[in-house]
Amino acid sequence: MKNEQLTYTSEFASEVQEGLTSFPKFLSSKFIYDEKGDVLFQKIMDLPEYYLTNCEYSILEKHTDAIADQFNSENGFDLIELGAGDGKKTKILLRHLVAKKYDFNYLPIDISGHILEKLEAALKEEMPDLKVNIQQGMYFKVLGKLAEYNTRKKIIIVLGSNIGNLNHEEAIDFLKNIQLAMSKDDMLFMGFDQKKDPQIILDAYNDKTGVTAAFNKNILHRINQELGANFKPDNFKHWETYNPETGTAKSFLVSLEEQKVTIPELKLEVNFKKWESIHTEISQKYDDEVVEWLADKAGLKVKEFFSDDKKFYKNYVFQK
Ligand code: AVI
């Protein structure tokens, strides 16, 4: 764990160096998430504008029977979740599967052992009959290990449209890595936020209360904290765009004045012109054709999908 932490810190340093010395400037959204970033993301999920969470909830609640039917198999199955977090959404499925006495184990994978232990304790209390087997580590390393030793049908679930934070090339790689760990009968169950009225998307990523702006600016706080920089986050404006042609929502931080920022740990001085931007995140929106294309490129096929009433969001079932 310590070594992983070390490489992560130096990966952070080298990516910040690369992004802030490039033109145009960019930073990776994966670095928004430290302790404060995690709390801000939890707050985003409770925002009325951030429809994604409620849509996925409603899909899981409305279609639990049909989803469980897809998962079930004669010899039982292993339910493997990538990035389980607090398991809030997954619990809807788990409760149902336990109540129906399905023969399955739940294997949440997360990089954070702390998050997994908390989740395990909560599940033990809420669902004492559930068999939980936490897996701490990097997603694909753990998946590879599970593919080698587990003989039961694997259901791999990824909720929250996290794939949307990857560009198409990275998304194909992500899906391919999962596909490589899958056998013929295994399934991937994954959430994809859909294209919709552009205004609804813009509002979801630029809420009135400024939580998303604070979340975006957290990357600057992190650079200050971990690399000794002197960013003044208030000197930047959170800016969201959505391109209905490509389905890509993009977050930026725009410099409100000409300014110079020093980053001692990188021995770097970064100059910003007034109105210069840092691109920080993409949140891709999809339609069936794009999902099928990504799946095909990764060696997967769409078998089924479930949608909310407004068709804002879909959970797809993929097989090899
Ligand atoms: C984690 N991820 C799917 C979120 C999204 O919708 O892109 C992160 C987020 N960024 C701003 N708001 C939420």
Side-chain angles (χ1 to χ4, degrees):
M1 185 61 197
K2 225 174 180 185
N3 275 343
E4 226 157 47
Q5 199 62 43
L6 267 181
T7 31
Y8 200 68
T9 310
S10 57
E11 184 192 331
F12 178 55
S14 66
E15 287 198 29
V16 168
Q17 166 106 29
E18 193 202 339
L20 293 183
T21 53
S22 293
F23 181 79
K25 293 179 171 64
F26 66 90
L27 290 167
S28 167
S29 63
K30 67 180 179 227
F31 297 125
I32 299 176
Y33 301 87
D34 58 0
E35 219 170 291
K36 202 171 138 211
D38 288 345
V39 171
L40 287 166
F41 183 55
Q42 289 294 332
K43 281 196 183 154
I44 286 177
M45 289 198 288
D46 289 335
L47 290 170
E49 293 97 334
Y50 195 72
Y51 59 84
L52 286 81
T53 316
N54 281 339
C55 286
E56 198 166 41
Y57 264 127
S58 79
I59 294 171
L60 296 175
E61 257 160 11
K62 192 171 164 202
H63 302 284
T64 5
D65 271 320
I67 295 168
D69 268 0
Q70 292 281 334
F71 291 179
N72 200 18
S73 105
E74 233 175 79
N75 303 316
F77 58 93
D78 285 331
L79 188 65
I80 303 167
E81 181 165 22
L82 306 193
D86 63 2
K88 216 163 148 186
K89 282 183 236 163
T90 324
K91 282 178 192 167
I92 301 172
L93 273 178
L94 295 175
R95 258 183 231 114
H96 179 82
L97 295 170
V98 169
K100 292 256 164 153
K101 296 200 174 353
Y102 280 100
D103 172 20
F104 78 107
N105 298 321
Y106 174 53
L107 293 82
I109 308 179
D110 207 290
I111 183 79
S112 157
H114 174 67
I115 282 184
L116 287 171
E117 279 156 25
K118 252 175 79 176
L119 175 62
E120 188 181 32
L123 289 172
K124 261 203 180 118
E125 208 167 293
E126 286 172 51
M127 288 171 250
D129 291 337
L130 175 69
K131 287 181 235 152
V132 187
N133 188 353
I134 56 172
Q135 306 285 323
Q136 191 266 321
M138 313 283 268
Y139 293 163
F140 303 126
K141 261 197 191 155
V142 178
L143 262 188
K145 196 184 77 195
L146 292 177
E148 229 174 284
Y149 299 113
N150 286 35
T151 48
R152 297 218 290 187
K153 176 176 173 184
K154 290 194 290 303
I155 310 290
I156 300 162
I157 62 174
V158 191
L159 303 179
S161 198
N162 288 334
I163 193 163
N165 298 130
L166 305 176
N167 64 38
H168 286 328
E169 200 185 319
E170 293 165 337
I172 291 166
D173 256 14
F174 185 82
L175 291 169
K176 212 180 263 171
N177 274 315
I178 296 177
Q179 182 267 117
L180 289 172
M182 287 166 73
S183 303
K184 200 175 116 283
D185 292 331
D186 293 348
M187 276 173 188
L188 169 64
F189 181 78
M190 199 167 187
F192 287 77
D193 193 23
Q194 301 289 300
K195 289 180 179 169
K196 60 184 66 61
D197 180 341
Q199 193 59 55
I200 293 176
I201 294 172
L202 283 176
D203 291 347
Y205 291 92
N206 192 14
D207 63 282
K208 281 201 209 88
T209 43
V211 182
T212 311
F215 172 77
N216 195 10
K217 287 182 188 182
N218 193 50
I219 203 159
L220 304 182
H221 284 290
R222 248 196 103 174
I223 299 173
N224 283 351
Q225 224 167 44
E226 293 179 35
L227 303 174
N230 61 350
F231 269 108
K232 291 191 190 115
D234 286 347
N235 283 357
F236 290 83
K237 183 185 175 94
H238 167 70
W239 190 254
E240 193 67 25
T241 66
Y242 174 66
N243 179 344
E245 187 176 48
T246 60
T248 312
K250 282 188 178 184
S251 303
F252 297 90
L253 291 167
V254 181
S255 178
L256 293 173
E257 56 188 54
E258 187 178 321
Q259 50 185 317
K260 192 189 291 291
V261 174
T262 53
I263 311 180
E265 288 286 315
L266 303 179
K267 298 189 175 55
L268 184 68
E269 212 170 72
V270 188
N271 292 300
F272 287 90
K273 293 198 193 90
K274 194 172 184 178
W275 306 128
E276 190 177 351
S277 62
I278 313 173
H279 173 219
T280 50
E281 186 175 52
I282 72 159
S283 296
Q284 184 64 37
K285 308 303 161 199
Y286 302 89
D287 54 32
D288 288 346
E289 284 70 33
V290 174
V291 173
E292 275 158 22
W293 172 75
L294 291 172
D296 183 61
K297 290 271 175 203
L300 291 166
K301 280 192 189 66
V302 175
K303 188 171 174 261
E304 181 69 86
F305 65 79
F306 302 94
S307 167
D308 60 296
D309 291 342
K310 287 186 275 190
K311 304 216 166 27
F312 276 9
Y313 193 96
K314 285 183 183 170
N315 288 85
Y316 293 79
V317 178
F318 302 94
Q319 266 188 323
K320 261 192 158 173

